[in-house]
Amino acid sequence: MLHIPGAWQRAARGAGLLSPDGTLAATIFAEITAAAVRHDAINLGQGFPDEDGPAEVLAAAVDAIRSGVNQYPPGRGMPVLREAVADHQHRFYGIDLDPERQILITAGATEALTATLLALLDGPDDEVVVFEPYYDSYAAAIALAGARLVPVPLRWPDLEPDLADLRAAVGERTRIILVNDPHNPTGTVFSAEVRAEIVRLAAHHDALIVTDEVYEHLVIDGTHTPIATLPGAAERTLTISSGGKTFRTTGWKVGWVSGPADLVDAVLAVKQYLTYVNGAPFQPAIAVGLGLPDAYFDDLAATQRERRDLLGEGLIAAGFDVSTPAGSYFTVANVGPLLDAGEDAAGFCRTLPERVGVAAIPLTAFVSEDHRADYAGLVRFAACKRTDVIAEAARRLAASAR
């Protein structure tokens, strides 16, 4: 049992991993993955692909290693990648950025988010509005910064934010509105009305907007609209993304943050004392990826649409109610009506690998402790595996109903 004081306790408590007696618990992800391995189940719990990215991106990394790109890159990131990010933002969204001052390369989006929150928050008087359920690192990073997380619930079945809830959450102590769109873990893509209200509220309360857009090219229905493109948003918005999901290279951990130069400088002041720099040979490779033809990005979304539909059919055949996602890897199903008395989604997920041969994660892993009852019957499935694997998972799920 740990009795060591320090900031780690805030981070662990924020992530829901610290018990009242100080015991540090393993994550539900580790537990479910171990069960999947033990029972040879298809693991639709963790959101990483089971196939490599485009050959030209992988080849560019190999070429960089062989040509000696193996030492520290510049602190802001290699110029070739910063320029590629600037070109990408202009090409897809019409956003114009100075690659010298307005783009910072990071060790994945998670470091970008953590460095941003640590840089721009200043203790318990600051609040961060977050859409709940939320990616689990948000709560840990907010807690490390000593700030307060204020959730806006995404309610079943549409899993979209209610504007009244959003207005109630944003106030004079709001320092940051943290937006994940497309959204993990629900697959929600925010409406134009929600995006506009986020900008209006941020301007009214002089708050900053931080966006996590790692699933930007995995919008299945419609197109992605960065909040930074809305009138009045650019001057107060930091946009975060990465190459991991777009190019199926999650292990490379190459991300970036972009926005106003003074805000990017503030993030750099913290980031340079975290990893300093990372992934020298992977940075030019991700730059190659960002320059791929439109067909690559179109095919990426089309493939994800096929996998979403396959998984959804299997879940519905298994008797689950499904919230069809508009983006990301994830589909949320309501298993509540099928639970035994006293059982919740976490218990359901612990037995699912053995009973059905499929693994998933309870949505309670992504919510604050006080709100877990509101999500007790909801389960997240990740459709980011090969199409044949998703098809087999769907078959097993459908067969479980029989």
Side-chain angles (χ1 to χ4, degrees):
M1 186 179 298
L2 293 171
H3 294 288
I4 306 168
W8 73 269
Q9 292 177 318
R10 291 201 305 273
R13 188 175 294 110
L17 300 180
L18 194 67
S19 65
D21 67 358
T23 303
L24 187 63
T27 68
I28 190 74
F29 299 96
E31 184 180 350
I32 297 299
T33 294
V37 171
R38 193 163 56 248
H39 298 290
D40 196 25
I42 296 173
N43 190 351
L44 304 186
Q46 291 188 294
F48 59 85
D50 62 351
E51 55 193 334
D52 282 334
E56 51 267 71
V57 173
L58 303 182
V62 174
D63 290 345
I65 292 170
R66 287 176 173 164
S67 63
V69 184
N70 300 303
Q71 309 307 324
Y72 294 136
R76 287 182 179 267
M78 295 181 69
V80 66
L81 180 53
R82 285 186 277 121
E83 290 164 6
V85 171
D87 291 344
H88 170 276
Q89 294 301 93
H90 179 79
R91 169 187 171 190
F92 286 98
Y93 313 123
I95 297 173
D96 291 320
L97 296 168
D98 177 0
E100 296 297 321
R101 293 292 316 283
Q102 292 185 274
I103 297 170
L104 173 64
I105 307 305
T106 61
T110 300
E111 188 201 34
L113 286 158
T114 301
T116 297
L117 294 170
L118 290 174
L120 301 176
L121 297 171
D122 194 25
D125 289 338
D126 286 347
E127 294 181 347
V128 182
V129 172
V130 173
F131 295 89
E132 186 178 54
Y134 44 77
Y135 178 52
D136 54 355
S137 81
Y138 295 175
I142 292 166
L144 273 176
R148 179 171 175 258
L149 184 152
V150 179
V152 175
L154 305 182
R155 294 192 172 93
W156 181 266
D158 58 8
L159 295 171
E160 295 179 359
D162 181 88
L163 292 182
D165 290 334
L166 176 58
R167 293 176 191 128
V170 181
E172 294 308 310
R173 295 179 64 177
T174 302
R175 176 63 173 158
I176 292 173
I177 303 175
L178 178 51
V179 182
N180 180 202
D181 179 24
H183 187 263
N184 173 16
T186 67
T188 294
V189 171
F190 289 171
S191 68
E193 292 76 14
V194 169
R195 290 192 297 267
E197 188 64 5
I198 289 169
V199 176
R200 188 192 72 79
L201 289 167
H204 180 72
H205 294 286
D206 195 25
L208 300 172
I209 303 170
V210 175
T211 70
D212 175 354
E213 303 183 22
V214 298
Y215 296 100
E216 61 185 306
H217 289 294
L218 288 162
V219 175
I220 302 167
D221 298 329
T223 58
H224 178 59
T225 302
I227 282 182
T229 63
L230 273 59
E235 62 265 28
R236 63 177 67 250
T237 300
L238 282 172
T239 301
I240 291 169
S241 193
S242 77
K245 305 301 191 297
T246 300
F247 305 114
R248 301 189 182 109
T249 53
T250 59
W252 289 9
K253 299 300 293 179
V254 176
W256 49 86
V257 55
S258 64
D262 57 344
L263 294 179
V264 172
D265 285 347
V267 178
L268 173 62
V270 172
K271 180 264 186 296
Q272 65 189 345
Y273 299 112
L274 295 176
T275 58
Y276 173 46
V277 291
N278 72 292
F282 301 133
Q283 292 191 27
I286 294 297
V288 168
L290 290 172
L292 289 174
D294 288 355
Y296 171 79
F297 300 94
D298 294 340
D299 289 348
L300 186 71
T303 297
Q304 194 57 39
R305 183 181 300 110
E306 179 185 10
R307 293 171 180 178
R308 174 201 67 179
D309 293 345
L310 274 173
L311 175 60
E313 290 166 5
L315 291 168
I316 291 169
F320 303 159
D321 292 330
V322 173
S323 178
T324 301
S328 84
Y329 288 156
F330 307 109
T331 295
V332 175
N334 182 9
V335 303
L338 305 179
L339 297 177
D340 295 331
E343 187 183 21
D344 61 10
F348 175 89
C349 287
R350 288 186 173 98
T351 62
L352 191 66
E354 182 176 9
R355 290 188 296 106
V356 178
V358 176
I361 297 292
L363 220 60
T364 49
F366 305 94
V367 303
S368 51
E369 187 172 354
D370 292 344
H371 300 149
R372 287 179 182 171
D374 298 332
Y375 300 90
L378 302 182
V379 173
R380 187 194 79 170
F381 294 82
C384 52
K385 310 305 179 185
R386 297 190 316 275
T387 302
D388 62 307
V389 174
I390 296 297
E392 174 59 17
R395 186 197 66 76
R396 293 182 186 186
L397 287 162
S400 70
R402 299 192 291 272

